[in-house]
Amino acid sequence: VAGMPRTLSASDMVTPGSLSPPPTESTEGEQAGQTLLDGAPSSASLDTLIQHLVPTADYYPEKAYIFTFLLSSRLFIEPRELLARVCHLCIEQQQLDKPVLDKAQIRKFGPKLLQLLAEWTETFPRDFEEESTIRHLTDVVGRIAPCDEAYRNRMHQLLQALHQKLASLGQGTQGLLGADKPISYKTKPPASIHRELLGVCSDPYTLAQQLTHVELERLRHIGPEEFVQAFVNKDPLASTKPCFSDKTNNVEAYVKWFNRLCYLVATEICMPAKKKQRAQVIEFFIDVARECFNIGNFNSLMAIISGMNMSPVSRLKKTWAKVKTAKFFILEHQMDPTGNFCNYRTALRGAAHRSLTAHSSREKIVIPFFSLLIKDIYFLNEGCANRLPNGHVNFEKFLELAKQVGEFITWKQVDCPFEQDSSITHYLYTAPIFSEDGLYLASYESESPENQTEKERWKSLRSSILGKT
């Protein structure tokens, strides 16, 4: 089965404007053939929405509906509970608990059930981390297996793929941010052993490619459900306790990586003692940022610009005077927050379009500025209610949410076309970075304070960090 959200490009995703009234409740006969997205209700009861997820002999929900509902349902019902209800409905509707099965009917139903389970396990593998969920799967498939032995084999393949996916997701998320704690200026390694980034990688194109490698590696671990779980508030109508919070680790780790890169850029610029070298490091990072823009890696681009705009860096006027800044201003203009980042959004749409028509995996790369994506999803979530006053689920809102998350899922599945150079990625992950105070101190040591405020700050930093008066 192809990965689910690939089909969910922004262009062919349903727009809530095309919604007509819900199909009738009956799941018998003709109405069952209506799919929820052609006639998706803008709202419906949770029971109706669950019913629409359940395949029958002649009905299968639209792919986009499956993704939208599985993504958003966790605001109302825990995934394992939803799975239990879907399996129960299948057993009930197909009379799988009867001693004699209607084989002709089940041969039409079986492939549809397996298709649904394949899409669910592939797109939301973490919904199946608990043993009880696997029991539901094997139980329901065990009941249809007598009609066709191929069902058991398909189930076996599906579970193997699921275990592999869960194993690969479990690797590598934690170990990547070992050197997360910034160091103070005092613990700065002596020049003789300090390796600076330019010593490890002096080619801006190579560094931009390695940053892209890191970004895609980090993104691979983020599940679509994390975007919803980041905003789970207790649903007033749900019986369950507030759902989760430890389930957004990968989103948090990714935001930490962005912050680390900002500080690493600032540290590398403030570290050299001579202004000519500092200017050289700034120009190097401008070239790296420009190449990130060309690749479509907007997250690293924004981190580099943010690092250069930190006050300990931007105050180095004598250093900046030696830099050819035209290229920097062009990039800064691209990422200007004015008009809710309208320049960046235009560039992102351009990259997204290139990705859709791409011939090579290099042209497919779109790595969005992640904090802004989170903010957009947050405002979409805050901006309208999950439920309407009559208790119905506000499905229209979740179609929009699925559109934004679905596009992101497509982007994160791109294979990185660049070979990893582990000496460079290791440096990016582990090189010491200064804390903010450490950066200011390094900055004042490089270009002395210009005004009273800076002088006082320098004095207090010297006494607190270096123990000097």
Side-chain angles (χ1 to χ4, degrees):
V1 191
M4 154 63 215
R6 243 183 357 145
T7 54
L8 267 184
S9 70
S11 55
D12 60 18
M13 182 66 192
V14 194
T15 48
S18 63
L19 304 176
S20 53
T24 32
E25 290 287 284
S26 150
T27 53
E28 305 305 316
E30 287 311 297
Q31 291 96 339
Q34 281 192 9
T35 52
L36 193 71
L37 280 176
D38 294 343
S42 46
S43 73
S45 69
L46 186 60
D47 289 343
T48 304
L49 293 170
I50 293 174
Q51 183 62 68
H52 272 290
L53 186 66
V54 179
T56 64
D58 28 46
Y59 163 74
Y60 187 75
E62 268 192 57
K63 254 184 143 94
Y65 176 70
I66 297 171
F67 180 64
T68 302
F69 184 61
L70 289 178
L71 179 70
S72 54
S73 60
R74 60 203 66 238
L75 289 165
F76 308 101
I77 177 173
E78 292 214 23
R80 61 161 188 264
E81 204 181 315
L82 175 63
L83 178 68
R85 282 182 62 177
V86 167
C87 291
H88 176 72
L89 283 166
C90 287
I91 292 166
E92 205 175 70
Q93 288 168 14
Q94 303 302 319
Q95 305 188 326
L96 300 180
D97 45 0
K98 296 282 185 290
V100 180
L101 299 174
D102 177 347
K103 289 198 172 179
Q105 176 85 354
I106 294 206
R107 286 205 179 103
K108 286 162 73 184
F109 165 74
K112 296 189 176 78
L113 173 65
L114 284 160
Q115 169 75 16
L116 177 70
L117 298 178
E119 290 191 29
W120 193 342
T121 51
E122 227 168 87
T123 315
F124 297 96
R126 290 194 182 92
D127 288 355
F128 298 88
E129 282 176 323
E130 291 179 32
E131 203 45 55
S132 66
T133 54
I134 306 294
R135 281 201 299 275
H136 285 305
L137 297 184
T138 45
D139 169 60
V140 72
V141 174
R143 289 168 190 262
I144 61 170
C147 297
D148 188 338
E149 269 312 306
Y151 296 158
R152 235 187 267 281
N153 296 339
R154 180 75 191 88
M155 185 66 196
H156 181 65
Q157 292 168 338
L158 196 145
L159 289 176
Q160 266 189 313
L162 174 65
H163 288 310
Q164 279 174 333
K165 201 149 192 187
L166 285 171
S168 81
L169 287 172
Q171 285 161 1
T173 42
Q174 297 316 316
L176 288 177
L177 286 179
D180 220 17
K181 286 283 155 280
I183 56 167
S184 69
Y185 189 80
K186 186 170 55 175
T187 50
K188 174 172 142 174
S192 57
I193 61 160
H194 174 71
R195 298 160 65 219
E196 67 274 327
L197 181 57
L198 278 154
V200 180
C201 173
S202 59
D203 175 45
Y205 294 91
T206 306
L207 186 62
Q209 292 177 3
Q210 293 307 305
L211 284 168
T212 303
H213 201 286
V214 170
E215 297 280 353
L216 286 168
E217 179 56 33
R218 310 286 339 193
L219 284 180
R220 206 167 57 78
H221 291 97
I222 297 175
E225 70 283 354
E226 292 195 45
F227 290 101
V228 173
Q229 279 156 349
F231 308 121
V232 169
N233 297 324
K234 186 160 163 41
D235 175 31
L237 294 178
S239 54
T240 48
K241 52 197 172 314
C243 300
F244 327 88
S245 66
D246 60 332
K247 299 208 171 177
T248 53
N249 298 347
N250 301 300
V251 165
E252 284 162 36
Y254 190 50
V255 172
K256 275 187 184 161
W257 150 253
F258 177 90
N259 294 336
R260 173 175 168 77
L261 183 53
C262 294
Y263 275 84
L264 181 65
V265 167
T267 300
E268 295 286 336
I269 294 171
C270 292
M271 195 75 97
K274 297 191 167 63
K275 65 172 174 276
K276 187 179 164 188
Q277 281 174 302
R278 291 193 298 273
Q280 194 186 350
V281 177
I282 290 175
E283 290 193 330
F284 173 72
F285 276 123
I286 292 171
D287 288 339
V288 175
R290 191 164 71 159
E291 186 52 20
C292 285
F293 181 83
N294 293 337
I295 290 172
N297 176 358
F298 296 104
N299 203 51
S300 292
L301 165 64
M302 195 58 169
I304 294 170
I305 291 175
S306 306
M308 290 176 153
N309 279 329
M310 287 176 81
S311 357
V313 177
S314 59
R315 68 168 291 281
L316 297 170
K317 296 191 177 64
K318 293 175 185 148
T319 305
W320 280 95
K322 290 196 164 305
V323 174
K324 299 184 195 73
T325 49
K327 287 189 289 194
F328 178 64
F329 292 139
I330 292 169
L331 289 171
E332 217 179 16
H333 177 68
Q334 283 293 350
M335 303 308 273
D336 182 357
T338 312
N340 193 10
F341 290 90
C342 74
N343 295 348
Y344 157 68
R345 290 180 193 279
T346 305
L348 179 69
R349 293 267 57 88
H353 182 71
R354 174 178 75 178
S355 179
L356 281 175
T357 56
H359 299 297
S360 67
S361 55
R362 175 155 185 162
E363 292 173 325
K364 281 199 179 92
I365 297 172
V366 184
I367 301 170
F369 169 32
F370 193 66
S371 304
L372 189 62
L373 176 68
I374 292 279
K375 197 167 137 187
D376 286 349
I377 290 174
Y378 176 78
F379 281 118
L380 170 64
N381 188 61
E382 287 295 298
C384 44
N386 290 341
R387 284 192 193 260
L388 304 178
N390 64 1
H392 275 191
V393 171
N394 182 359
F395 199 68
E396 203 163 342
K397 165 179 176 172
F398 296 118
L399 282 168
E400 184 52 43
L401 179 72
K403 188 168 124 182
Q404 295 194 16
V405 175
E407 190 171 42
F408 170 77
I409 298 304
T410 310
W411 295 336
K412 89 182 186 86
Q413 285 168 342
V414 173
D415 292 321
C416 187
F418 311 119
E419 279 294 305
Q420 180 180 9
D421 180 330
S422 52
S423 65
I424 300 174
T425 53
H426 180 75
Y427 185 89
L428 292 171
Y429 278 133
T430 59
I433 51 173
F434 283 151
S435 61
E436 197 171 3
D437 282 349
L439 284 173
Y440 269 112
L441 195 52
S443 178
Y444 294 144
E445 300 278 331
S446 299
E447 293 187 19
S448 45
E450 301 220 324
N451 55 42
Q452 204 45 45
T453 319
E454 289 195 344
K455 282 178 185 152
E456 281 164 17
R457 180 164 204 168
W458 190 30
K459 197 175 163 191
S460 84
L461 287 173
R462 282 173 66 101
S463 66
S464 65
I465 296 179
L466 302 177
K468 293 180 180 170
T469 47

